[in-house]
Amino acid sequence: MDTERKRFWAKGLAVLLSFSMVAGMAGCGGAGKGEGSSSESTQVTSEIVGSSEAGANTEGTIATPEPVATVSKINDNGKAIWDFDEFVNSAWKEEQKSGDKDCVTTWGETDEELNEWITELVWNTDLATIPEEEGLSKVITLCRQIEDEGFESRADRVRTVKKHLEPILKVKKLDDLYKLYGTEEYAYHNYLLQFQINMDWNANNAAWFWPEALLGNDIESAQEQIENMTGKNKDVFFPFMKELGFSEDRTKEILTNVALGDAKVFEYHDKAYESSVLYYFGEKQLQQEEVPVPIMQILQSLGYDNDFFVAKLVSYDYLKDLYQPENLGILRDHLLFSVIMNLSITFGSIEELGWIDDAFTEDYTKKELLVQAIKALACDEITKEYVKTHISEKTMEDVKAMVEDVKVFSRSVVSDAQWLSIHGKELAKRKILRLNCYYGENEIKYDLSEYSLGKDVVESFIALESGRVRFKMDQTKFSGDERGLYGITTMIDNAFYIRELNAVAFMAGFLSDPLCSAEAKYEERLANLGETIAHEISHAYDPEGSGYDEDGYYDPWMKEEEQAAYDERVKRIADFFDGMEVEYGQKLDGRRVCAETFADLMAMECCLRMLEAQENPDYDLFFRSYAKGNAMYFNEEGAEGAVEDTHLPGKQRINYVLGQFDKFYEIYDIDESSPFFVPKEERLPVF
């Protein structure tokens, strides 16, 4: 089953609920203070040598190395290395070719292991060992009740689903629809008028307008999915819809309307991508622009605590064009099918859930789908158990020690930025000194203490979804220092920088990696743990994070001449990669990959400084570990998705990030014959 269809189903079953879509999060591989230090750290590795002379730079300086004998460069069986990615990862890539995935990464393997653990937790835990009142017990019980056909008959479940479809079918005018939008249940399924609750640039938790499509990622893929449902899988799909009360003709009409709604969303995002400027919208602005949708009333009926929301200017045209009486059928059926898709997991078989593609039934079981749904809806409960059982106090201490070391050397990189004034350097370093850190879990959790299970599994499932909407809306009551990290799906192998909190958040899956422990060799830990920490901290200075201050407020701190110098450096990165042809004829968008590549380069500079401070550092092990950690394999079908990411594809990320540094060429025999060789005069600036 290809990646795009899996994304469709993950979205359709509401299992991807991370708020990183539009918030200021940048991921590797994204009020109260976290566990990061809010004052200058004095914890430094014993290898760091600082000068005590007045005015000297004592941040991350290193001892002058003793002269050493010349060592032959590492080569590829007597020849210059043509492609360092292939030199290190060719065997791993060859193994992936026999698999059924269009795109594979080494870090994706950890995510699969996490899913296996959650599956084991949900289906094999002895519930007698968990108090009934605990949230974990409740969500495990719900999963088992849904999967147990003997707990409640299919007919009863279908009857409940139809009861929840009835209010949508009764919609006769736009005002009827708006009333449904203002309820937690239907707000959860409202893709065309979707809002994410995220942090904004003035330290508020605010609603961000972010409509989403229901089928596919573009018009062509949406049409292909409709053809699958009404074509090769019609013997499953049409009977399924008939059981819910929809004839074959009516079902086709619903799908047509869904596709028309999705087309509006695709058009919106195409226009929105052209501008990065966001605005506050309030009742006054909506009235002036004659937007027909009572957005503020809808949000406030959901418990929203602000009198504005965040959106792009193209939102005006989208709202005025789509929300017209003649489009009522499109709007109604889009909501209708969203509810059907989402609730189908409560009563449908795996064969029925696979109507989009019959290969779906080969990739998933019903139990696995339920696990994914619960992972998203009740991630805080699951993560709490995982951290308790899989991440030792010693590992936490090791990670925090590495964070402090990276902070020291990141400040040294800033100190050496000749284009910044002394005052500018102090302002830049203040962001590191005031950095917040979150380890494994959200600071503010979706509390299930008041959630209760009923005898109707559909109602219990809906209550869990509605509670999540309520939880997120409750966050809008907090601003400034009252805010904290919330709503992230933490059971993944990743880390994020959140500019609005000036914080780095390490996900539980990332912390469980053996390379986070000091038991691994230093070079391996530095290439994985250290580089990831440095990468996320570097996002504080990327084109999106640089305008925010140490407290997470948007407050550009560079002087005019500094900003001009910074912009020129950033432009060089974007220009270097823009239009670059990669595998299968795909081309990179320099603007898209610029921020992540900026962070890659600054992080690598930081890590090389840290490595140089060690006694007898093994650069070969470090570079190879970095290459292994960023390995990526994709076939022709996966190529388009690989270049649509904000990170460079694996081959380019390995060769061109390492290829900007002299030390890489000192260790390996890589010369002008390699297509990835970067002449010294063309190498990119770091910070």
Side-chain angles (χ1 to χ4, degrees):
M1 184 179 187
D2 65 35
T3 303
E4 181 178 284
R5 288 171 181 157
K6 288 183 180 179
R7 275 202 300 269
F8 162 75
W9 266 104
K11 180 169 66 176
L13 293 170
V15 301
L16 295 180
L17 301 177
S18 170
F19 73 8
S20 63
M21 182 64 72
V22 292
M25 295 177 58
C28 71
K33 298 294 182 184
E35 297 182 69
S37 173
S38 59
S39 59
E40 173 120 23
S41 169
T42 57
Q43 180 178 358
V44 183
T45 55
S46 59
E47 290 79 11
I48 298 175
V49 180
S51 170
S52 60
E53 296 179 7
N57 171 24
T58 62
E59 297 181 314
T61 55
I62 58 177
T64 302
E66 295 293 327
V68 294
T70 301
V71 179
S72 299
K73 294 181 180 182
I74 297 170
N75 58 43
D76 185 6
N77 293 320
K79 298 181 296 183
I81 297 172
W82 174 264
D83 177 345
F84 189 68
D85 172 38
E86 292 299 320
F87 180 69
V88 176
N89 295 318
S90 58
W92 177 84
K93 290 187 178 185
E94 195 62 33
E95 292 175 2
Q96 309 313 310
K97 291 180 180 179
S98 60
D100 60 352
K101 295 182 179 179
D102 296 334
C103 184
V104 189
T105 60
T106 48
W107 61 90
E109 296 170 353
T110 303
D111 286 335
E112 291 180 2
E113 293 171 2
L114 291 171
N115 289 332
E116 291 172 2
W117 178 84
I118 301 172
T119 300
E120 178 73 16
L121 174 73
V122 170
W123 302 114
N124 295 323
T125 296
D126 182 358
L127 283 175
T129 63
I130 308 175
E132 289 185 9
E133 66 274 11
E134 288 195 6
L136 183 62
S137 175
K138 296 174 185 178
V139 297
I140 290 177
T141 300
L142 176 59
C143 273
R144 295 181 182 182
Q145 289 175 349
I146 292 174
E147 200 271 338
D148 182 5
E149 296 179 359
F151 178 79
E152 183 184 14
S153 71
R154 178 179 174 114
D156 286 341
R157 299 184 192 200
V158 170
R159 190 177 301 112
T160 304
V161 171
K162 291 171 73 173
K163 183 183 74 173
H164 287 273
L165 298 178
E166 191 63 29
I168 306 174
L169 295 172
K170 289 182 178 179
V171 167
K172 301 299 181 185
K173 55 184 184 298
L174 289 174
D175 285 343
D176 297 338
L177 195 66
Y178 299 150
K179 289 178 182 178
L180 294 181
Y181 286 175
T183 64
E184 292 165 351
E185 175 184 345
Y186 296 105
Y188 184 88
H189 303 100
N190 185 7
Y191 281 68
L192 292 180
L193 195 70
Q194 182 168 264
F195 288 89
Q196 301 282 348
I197 304 302
N198 298 317
M199 303 163 201
D200 72 9
W201 52 90
N202 282 320
N204 302 296
N205 288 328
W208 293 56
F209 180 60
W210 197 255
E212 284 198 63
L214 204 52
L215 300 176
N217 299 297
D218 52 45
I219 294 176
E220 291 75 19
S221 62
Q223 187 59 45
E224 180 184 352
Q225 289 163 3
I226 290 175
E227 290 173 357
N228 284 339
M229 285 184 273
T230 59
K232 66 178 182 178
N233 296 320
K234 65 180 181 180
D235 292 340
V236 174
F237 179 59
F238 286 130
F240 179 89
M241 292 295 288
K242 184 177 181 180
E243 190 175 7
L244 293 173
F246 303 104
S247 67
E248 186 171 322
D249 287 342
R250 176 69 178 107
T251 296
K252 291 179 179 179
E253 180 186 33
I254 292 171
L255 292 177
T256 297
N257 283 331
V258 170
L260 291 171
D262 282 359
K264 294 292 186 183
V265 175
F266 298 141
E267 181 182 351
Y268 167 83
H269 285 294
D270 286 343
K271 293 179 179 178
Y273 179 71
E274 297 302 318
S275 173
S276 60
V277 182
L278 292 158
Y279 297 88
Y280 284 132
F281 287 37
E283 190 63 44
K284 181 179 179 181
Q285 289 77 19
L286 294 172
Q287 290 179 357
Q288 288 176 343
E289 293 293 329
E290 298 182 345
V291 174
V293 191
I295 292 178
M296 295 313 305
Q297 294 93 313
I298 291 170
L299 287 172
Q300 287 161 4
S301 67
L302 293 168
Y304 186 60
D305 202 50
N306 295 314
D307 58 2
F308 60 87
F309 65 93
V310 177
K312 294 189 175 182
L313 285 181
V314 295
S315 302
Y316 285 136
D317 292 337
Y318 171 88
L319 293 166
K320 290 191 290 186
D321 180 43
L322 182 56
Y323 283 87
Q324 296 295 332
E326 60 268 24
N327 292 331
L328 182 62
I330 296 174
L331 299 165
R332 180 188 59 224
D333 286 351
H334 204 279
L335 179 62
L336 181 74
F337 198 62
S338 174
V339 175
I340 291 172
M341 285 179 55
N342 197 268
L343 297 184
S344 63
I345 196 171
T346 63
F347 69 93
S349 66
I350 186 62
E351 290 76 21
E352 289 170 323
L353 297 176
W355 68 54
I356 197 67
D357 190 322
D358 46 18
F360 185 77
T361 60
E362 300 173 4
D363 294 327
Y364 295 101
T365 65
K366 177 70 174 287
K367 287 185 175 181
E368 288 172 333
L369 289 180
L370 283 168
V371 163
Q372 290 301 308
I374 294 302
K375 173 184 173 181
L377 288 169
C379 191
D380 289 336
E381 296 290 346
I382 294 171
T383 302
K384 182 168 60 176
E385 182 69 15
Y386 185 81
V387 170
K388 182 173 68 175
T389 57
H390 283 71
I391 303 174
S392 68
E393 291 184 9
K394 178 65 167 58
T395 295
M396 284 289 196
E397 292 172 0
D398 293 342
V399 172
K400 291 177 183 179
M402 180 69 82
V403 168
E404 293 305 319
D405 285 351
V406 171
K407 287 165 67 177
V408 170
F409 281 92
S410 293
R411 294 199 301 270
S412 80
V413 175
V414 173
S415 294
D416 290 343
Q418 298 181 359
W419 56 275
L420 271 177
S421 65
I422 294 176
H423 182 62
K425 292 176 183 178
E426 291 306 310
L427 292 176
K429 287 188 288 185
R430 192 178 296 174
K431 296 187 73 171
I432 301 175
L433 297 174
R434 296 285 294 274
L435 185 75
N436 296 299
C437 293
Y438 299 96
Y439 297 92
E441 300 182 74
N442 286 304
E443 180 182 15
I444 303 171
K445 299 175 176 61
Y446 175 23
D447 182 13
L448 298 180
S449 60
E450 297 183 3
Y451 171 71
S452 59
L453 294 168
K455 295 182 179 180
D456 187 318
V457 296
V458 178
E459 297 288 2
S460 296
F461 191 74
I462 291 172
L464 191 61
E465 294 175 333
S466 299
R468 189 171 179 85
V469 174
R470 185 162 55 253
F471 164 73
K472 288 199 169 185
M473 285 296 175
D474 283 345
Q475 304 314 307
T476 64
K477 299 174 183 176
F478 306 109
S479 61
D481 290 342
E482 299 173 321
R483 298 169 304 147
L485 188 69
Y486 69 91
I488 295 181
T489 301
T490 46
M491 285 297 291
I492 56 175
D493 180 13
N494 211 334
F496 302 98
Y497 176 74
I498 303 103
R499 60 183 183 241
E500 291 85 359
L501 287 175
N502 186 32
V504 174
F506 303 101
M507 302 297 96
F510 175 76
L511 295 176
S512 66
D513 191 309
L515 292 174
C516 285
S517 170
E519 295 179 4
K521 291 184 178 180
Y522 180 80
E523 287 83 356
E524 292 176 307
R525 293 182 66 236
L526 183 63
N528 291 273
L529 172 62
E531 196 279 337
T532 298
I533 295 169
H535 175 100
E536 300 310 330
I537 290 177
S538 298
H539 276 303
Y541 308 103
D542 74 15
E544 297 173 356
S546 60
Y548 288 75
D549 69 11
E550 69 274 14
D551 294 317
Y553 289 83
Y554 183 71
D555 187 16
W557 44 270
M558 295 185 205
K559 295 179 180 178
E560 184 176 348
E561 59 272 20
E562 292 172 329
Q563 187 67 57
Y566 173 87
D567 290 344
E568 177 57 32
R569 300 169 86 81
V570 169
K571 184 177 183 298
R572 282 188 59 189
I573 296 174
D575 289 347
F576 185 92
F577 292 102
D578 193 48
M580 178 183 289
E581 186 169 324
V582 299
E583 295 92 323
Y584 301 103
Q586 296 290 332
K587 292 187 178 181
L588 296 177
D589 181 337
R591 176 184 163 196
R592 186 189 299 274
V593 301
C594 182
E596 291 294 342
T597 307
F598 177 100
D600 282 341
L601 294 170
M602 188 172 179
M604 184 55 61
E605 172 67 23
C606 174
C607 288
L608 287 174
R609 292 184 181 211
M610 293 176 69
L611 191 56
E612 191 174 358
Q614 300 296 306
E615 184 177 354
N616 299 320
D618 187 341
Y619 284 98
D620 179 41
L621 178 58
F622 170 76
F623 287 131
R624 287 176 186 262
S625 297
Y626 175 83
K628 291 177 181 178
N630 288 284
M632 173 184 286
Y633 164 79
F634 55 84
N635 57 26
E636 189 168 2
E637 287 72 25
E640 183 176 354
V643 300
E644 287 178 351
D645 196 289
T646 54
H647 303 81
L648 290 170
K651 183 176 296 295
Q652 287 68 38
R653 194 175 191 182
I654 293 166
N655 283 299
Y656 284 123
V657 170
L658 297 180
Q660 309 300 328
F661 295 90
D662 293 347
K663 181 60 68 175
F664 182 61
Y665 296 100
E666 292 175 15
I667 302 300
Y668 300 103
D669 182 9
I670 299 174
D671 57 26
E672 292 87 345
S673 65
S674 167
F676 302 103
F677 177 84
V678 183
K680 195 157 189 172
E681 65 275 10
E682 296 178 15
R683 292 175 195 170
L684 297 171
V686 179
F687 179 75

